[in-house]
Amino acid sequence: MSGGGRRATGAWLPGDPPGRRQFAQLFTDRPLQLDLGGQLGPITLAYESWGQLNSQRSNGVLLLHGFSGDSHAAGPAEAGHPSPGWWDAMVGPGRPVDTQRFFVVCPNALGGCQGSTGPSAAAPDGRPYGSRLPALTIRDLVAAELALADQLGIARWHGVIGGSMGGMRALEWAVTAPQRVANLLLMATAAATGADQIAQHQAQIEAIRLDPLFNGGDYDTNATPPLRGLLLARGLATLGYSSREALEQQFGRQQEPAGCFAINTYLRQEGEALARRFDANSYIALSQAMNHHDIGRERGGMAAALERITARTSVVSIRSDRLFPPEQQRQISRGLRSLIGHHNLDSIGGHDGFLTEVEQLEPIVRELLG
């Protein structure tokens, strides 16, 4: 961490090792007009890339991370990247997302905390945005990514791939700019968040806000972090990401020598791991962005929005996903004109199966990208 001391955010901050990050400066001449009102600019998007863009600029593949992911889709944990790439087994030379064939780009989402403009980033007055960051939606995140594609000179992606929150962004890409997406992979996601998901997100948001060290979102980055709230929020989220079957199989009623149930230790460890690389305000901002997700809003409804999509599309469900259950992906598939396959992963891993079920995902990704 920069400064060598403890700080109240796990966000990447200027002065930290950049790792593989590159930084795009966007909306420098005019701010982005936000979906729910207000504006934001200038905007920085941190991103990582692998491979080379061909002379026709036709081999670009856009990877869009889930809620707690970032631009580090492939590669080891190293200076600047506290965790290995979130899709490392899928991205690289000869792998399904073949970096010898494709120019692969993975941006850290707007509102995130690993180098992109978000609550922990400096506002034009030099202070962190904190609670002053305007409300964002998935459409705003995609608007920033559209500007990044323009800056990179990519008029049309050969593939856009996303799971969970990344799947929301991938879907929004295909609806907002259908002419810019040739092939689309949607994993464990939804065309609109439902009441169950909104309620789960809101419970996590309130857990963070109730931490007395949160200070309304304006905590000092050099002070004690609002750790208890973030740990509780992540614990609640982890229960949604996992399946009941997997938790029972792995932990059951197992107790540790101190008498603590093993499942509780696991949830605390998951929270502590997130806190080392995430920011409490970004947790709130991105949760709220997902809550606003509805591709049919102001577009004549979901069916009309799905009709806009022209990309060859594969949809992936995970049978044990209780956060975004398979019916939500079937709803997407039923509305697509260019569906090439709906795939059901046989996994007890729950929602996170789109990150871990490599053997089942490999042929799906290879077929889609060709």
Side-chain angles (χ1 to χ4, degrees):
M1 292 185 177
S2 60
R6 193 181 188 193
R7 65 190 187 194
T9 176
W12 184 93
L13 297 177
D16 292 341
R20 289 184 46 90
R21 291 175 184 82
Q22 302 170 69
F23 299 92
Q25 306 303 322
L26 309 170
F27 298 97
T28 56
D29 55 345
R30 57 177 179 80
L32 171 63
Q33 301 301 312
L34 299 174
D35 185 27
L36 298 180
Q39 58 187 28
L40 186 63
I43 288 171
T44 298
L45 275 196
Y47 69 98
E48 295 178 46
S49 65
W50 301 263
Q52 298 294 323
L53 190 61
N54 64 19
S55 59
Q56 296 81 30
R57 298 182 175 271
S58 61
N59 68 331
V61 173
L62 180 65
L63 293 184
L64 300 174
H65 63 77
F67 170 75
S68 60
D70 55 37
S71 64
H72 196 52
E78 57 186 321
H81 302 296
S83 301
W86 55 267
W87 232 27
D88 191 52
M90 298 288 288
V91 180
R95 293 176 182 171
V97 184
D98 189 346
T99 54
Q100 293 175 320
R101 297 181 55 210
F102 301 116
F103 176 61
V104 182
V105 178
C106 184
N108 180 221
L110 176 67
C113 58
Q114 287 297 319
S116 293
T117 295
S120 58
D125 64 4
R127 296 185 295 115
Y129 275 104
S131 65
R132 300 177 297 158
L133 187 78
L136 302 173
T137 69
I138 296 297
R139 296 184 189 184
D140 296 321
L141 274 56
V142 170
E145 291 159 7
L146 281 160
L148 172 63
D150 289 342
Q151 190 172 108
L152 294 173
I154 299 175
R156 180 175 171 87
W157 295 101
H158 178 75
V160 176
I161 297 173
S164 190
M165 187 189 82
M168 296 178 184
R169 291 149 65 199
L171 191 55
E172 185 62 40
W173 258 94
V175 172
T176 297
Q179 75 284 1
R180 302 190 70 163
V181 182
N183 299 289
L184 179 68
L185 178 59
L186 306 170
M187 303 177 290
T189 193
T193 43
D196 184 57
Q197 289 130 4
I198 292 169
Q200 291 186 60
H201 294 157
Q202 193 60 37
Q204 295 163 41
I205 289 170
E206 291 305 318
I208 294 172
R209 286 176 170 165
L210 287 171
D211 188 321
L213 298 175
F214 181 62
N215 192 35
D218 295 317
Y219 43 86
D220 185 339
T221 58
N222 292 310
T224 305
L227 188 60
R228 292 183 64 187
L230 192 57
L231 293 184
L232 179 55
R234 183 61 169 181
L236 292 170
T238 299
L239 294 177
Y241 299 151
S242 305
S243 72
R244 183 179 182 277
E245 185 179 0
L247 292 175
E248 289 294 339
Q249 186 178 106
Q250 185 174 358
F251 300 105
R253 294 185 53 79
Q254 176 186 346
Q255 289 184 277
E256 299 177 336
C260 179
F261 285 104
I263 179 59
N264 294 334
T265 300
Y266 168 72
L267 294 178
R268 185 181 68 252
Q269 290 170 344
E270 286 290 294
E272 290 171 348
L274 181 78
R276 287 193 291 270
R277 60 179 179 82
F278 219 75
D279 177 67
N281 276 324
S282 276
Y283 200 109
I284 292 174
L286 295 179
S287 295
Q288 291 175 328
M290 288 193 291
N291 283 353
H292 286 292
H293 173 61
D294 178 0
I295 63 165
R297 177 171 53 86
E298 299 177 353
R299 289 170 171 159
M302 186 182 299
L306 289 170
E307 277 284 322
R308 296 187 184 192
I309 297 175
T310 58
R312 295 171 66 254
T313 305
S314 284
V315 180
V316 171
S317 297
I318 303 156
R319 72 163 177 85
S320 58
D321 190 346
R322 55 181 176 176
L323 182 60
F324 288 94
E327 176 53 31
Q328 288 188 298
Q329 294 90 59
R330 288 194 289 269
Q331 186 178 46
I332 295 171
S333 292
R334 288 194 293 267
L336 293 172
R337 293 180 293 154
S338 50
L339 180 72
I340 65 169
H342 186 121
H343 307 273
N344 295 286
L345 303 190
D346 184 17
S347 170
I348 69 167
H351 183 65
D352 280 350
F354 79 93
L355 298 172
T356 60
E357 294 295 337
V358 173
E359 288 187 7
Q360 294 186 67
L361 284 168
E362 180 170 343
I364 298 168
V365 175
R366 289 191 188 278
E367 178 193 25
L368 181 76
L369 296 181

